Amino acid sequence: MSRLTVRPGPPLRGRTRVPGDKSISHRALLLGAIAEGTGRVENLLPANDCLATLTAVRALGIEVEELSPTTLLVHGRGWHGLQEPDDVLNCVRSGTTLRLLAGLLAGQPFTSVLSGDPQLRRRPMGRIVEPLRLMGATVLGRDHGRWPPLAIQGGRLHGIEYSLPVASAQVKSALLLAGLYADSPTTLHLPGPARDHTERMLNAMGATVETKEAAAGVQPPTSTVHLTPGQRLRPIDVSVPGDFSSAAFLLVAATLSPGSEVTLEEVGVNPTRTGLLDALWAMGASVTLHEERTVGGEPVADLTVRASALRGTEVGGSLVVRSIDELPILAVAATQAEGETRVRDAAELRVKETDRIATTVEELRRLGAEIEPRADGFVVRGPTRLRGTVVHSHGDHRLAMALTVAGLIAQGETTVQDTDCIADSFPGFESLLVRLGGQIS
Ligand code: S3P
């Protein structure tokens, strides 16, 4: 099991790119598989999670040519081109793979079984199983369908009008993929602005997906998505922008390391993803956007971050939805901010790769942070001088990277144990930080 040893060092400086967006990479593979012909994917994220989707797509009979680890040709076979897999589809540790595939497979005239590592088999599936059954799918799983493995007997589906209890993009996307195969429209109501990459890509491929956001000021800030089924998908070329969720670790690392200045090129800045930017700005961070442009229907920009002092802030409501994967690294930033930072409305953190409220609190406390768990978030009091020690990732990629960044500003040496999981979303994280000046071995 690998580990990283981190020490505080010189300022972080330089220009770089982060790897491709994880969410968009999954969708490029899955939607490409059912498009009517060949689409090219540039800058695909070659991380474990996306490779699980790639392996599954191939197991469904789709030919994917790898021109390089990040450039692929997906030979889509159209609406009814998928074939019954002859073995369990192993989604490894990727919740997005399992949930999106479940939606896609619910409309296929064959049986498939989805499973993965123990970490994935502990993640709740009732949130997709229940509405997929309402659409007419037969889905079996442990404890009445609450946990993987899931067995899906696909078949004829009906559109539904359904209110999601959580603002989850995985659930929304699973139901949209199933909805493509339904005999009537699907309308989904969400209690917040979950990432909309599926809708953007479907529209770019010629499907009709309409989104209506509640008027400004309406609480909660609901959104409604309406999908017209049965439309053929045109193959498209997708150029995947850099992953804002990966950039987040570098934004915080440079903010906290005195004298730093880093520019991250071509990062996705879809507003459903950039809640951390709003939180960092509210804390007094210096992050500027340049060269804002649209690439393949997704907003992209270069981000320049300079070290700066921070003050505490409040994060709740739709800001949580827009920064759900960034809350562990926000907690690290908060340890260096003057005053209190409160995160609420974030109970979803408890059902991510780990219970991220419990694991973030436990590990940051080892480093000397003043952080208290709450049922739906945490409270951090700062600034505190962190002290290097041995910390553990719990097998959670985002916690492993957040702790590595904490190690860059902790006194003495920090050892982050069990860091293989970083490759689930950000292969090359360590070497990229080292190139910018990070003292990591
Ligand atoms: C994702 C959605 C989010 C996010 C995950 C990726 C996606 O999960 O945490 O890392 O690609 O749709 P939820 O939809 O469960 O919030």
Side-chain angles (χ1 to χ4, degrees):
M1 209 177 279
S2 64
R3 58 173 63 179
L4 292 178
T5 303
V6 196
R7 295 179 155 279
L12 301 176
R13 290 192 165 264
R15 284 182 86 84
T16 187
R17 282 172 185 239
V18 292
D21 186 275
K22 180 157 81 74
S23 295
I24 297 174
S25 296
H26 285 299
R27 286 150 173 86
L29 293 168
L30 292 170
L31 292 177
I34 55 167
E36 309 265 332
T38 300
R40 186 182 175 99
V41 187
E42 303 267 4
N43 199 35
L44 181 105
L45 173 67
N48 295 339
D49 279 16
C50 300
L51 296 179
T53 297
L54 173 59
T55 305
V57 159
R58 283 181 166 148
L60 291 164
I62 300 300
E63 193 198 334
V64 183
E65 275 177 80
E66 281 175 72
L67 306 182
S68 79
T70 59
T71 307
L72 287 79
L73 296 178
V74 182
H75 297 290
R77 288 168 46 103
W79 228 214
H80 298 291
L82 301 182
Q83 291 166 6
E84 184 170 73
D86 63 7
D87 200 353
V88 173
L89 297 171
N90 182 359
C91 305
V92 193
R93 286 182 296 278
S94 174
T96 311
T97 305
L98 198 151
R99 292 194 177 115
L100 268 58
L101 267 177
L104 180 62
L105 295 172
Q108 310 300 327
F110 53 71
T111 301
S112 25
V113 180
L114 299 166
S115 192
D117 281 10
Q119 186 193 78
L120 183 61
R121 285 187 267 120
R122 285 193 293 269
R123 298 189 64 185
M125 294 300 148
R127 53 182 60 194
I128 52 164
V129 169
E130 210 174 285
L132 287 175
R133 284 178 179 162
L134 292 175
M135 296 177 85
T138 302
V139 187
L140 300 175
R142 287 185 297 127
D143 193 11
H144 307 286
R146 288 198 184 94
W147 314 105
L150 297 183
I152 300 173
Q153 173 65 68
R156 292 174 67 93
L157 300 179
H158 317 294
I160 48 170
E161 177 159 4
Y162 184 73
S163 293
L164 279 64
V166 284
S168 161
Q170 291 179 358
V171 177
K172 172 173 65 169
S173 301
L175 301 182
L176 290 175
L177 289 172
L180 288 171
Y181 287 85
D183 58 10
S184 56
T186 293
T187 304
L188 305 173
H189 303 285
L190 278 91
R195 63 192 70 188
D196 63 358
H197 307 299
T198 306
E199 298 90 305
R200 287 175 189 256
M201 201 177 285
L202 279 173
N203 280 325
M205 297 174 101
T208 311
V209 191
E210 289 153 347
T211 304
K212 282 201 191 83
E213 305 293 347
V218 172
Q219 288 303 329
T222 52
S223 68
T224 298
V225 185
H226 184 82
L227 169 81
T228 309
Q231 307 153 90
R232 288 164 172 248
L233 300 183
R234 229 190 358 252
I236 55 168
D237 293 344
V238 179
S239 174
V240 181
D243 196 326
F244 182 83
S245 296
S246 298
F249 297 101
L250 304 173
L251 293 179
V252 172
T255 296
L256 300 184
S257 306
S260 297
E261 178 171 334
V262 171
T263 295
L264 304 173
E265 294 170 348
E266 217 164 316
V267 181
V269 288
N270 179 319
T272 60
R273 296 287 300 281
T274 52
L276 179 80
L277 264 186
D278 294 327
L280 286 176
W281 281 328
M283 296 171 89
S286 166
V287 185
T288 45
L289 275 64
H290 325 263
E291 311 279 338
E292 289 181 61
R293 56 220 187 257
T294 302
V295 177
E298 290 280 347
V300 166
D302 297 349
L303 306 180
T304 297
V305 53
R306 295 185 184 84
S308 54
L310 299 180
R311 54 184 174 271
T313 190
E314 297 252 342
V315 176
S318 60
L319 192 51
V320 162
V321 182
R322 295 175 49 240
S323 60
I324 191 69
D325 291 339
E326 285 64 73
L327 296 174
I329 190 63
L330 178 77
V332 174
T335 66
Q336 303 309 301
E338 184 74 45
E340 214 168 72
T341 296
R342 289 177 168 269
V343 174
R344 58 181 162 76
D345 305 326
E348 268 299 286
L349 287 179
R350 296 210 179 266
V351 293
K352 293 295 179 187
E353 281 78 338
T354 59
D355 173 344
R356 285 188 178 152
I357 295 177
T359 53
T360 302
V361 167
E362 181 183 339
E363 299 304 320
L364 286 183
R365 276 185 176 167
R366 285 187 210 282
L367 291 164
E370 277 191 48
I371 178 167
E372 296 282 334
R374 293 282 184 266
D376 67 344
F378 48 78
V379 180
V380 183
R381 267 168 232 97
T384 38
R385 191 86 172 105
L386 302 182
R387 293 178 306 275
T389 184
V390 178
V391 287
H392 201 282
S393 74
H394 298 251
D396 183 333
H397 53 125
R398 302 212 191 273
L399 186 62
M401 290 185 274
L403 293 169
T404 305
V405 171
L408 287 175
I409 52 153
Q411 251 170 343
E413 191 173 277
T414 300
T415 302
V416 186
Q417 289 186 316
D418 192 5
T419 51
D420 288 337
C421 55
I422 290 174
D424 290 354
S425 69
F426 194 162
F429 167 74
E430 174 200 340
S431 50
L432 199 154
L433 257 180
V434 167
R435 279 204 303 281
L436 294 172
Q439 304 286 296
I440 307 177
S441 54

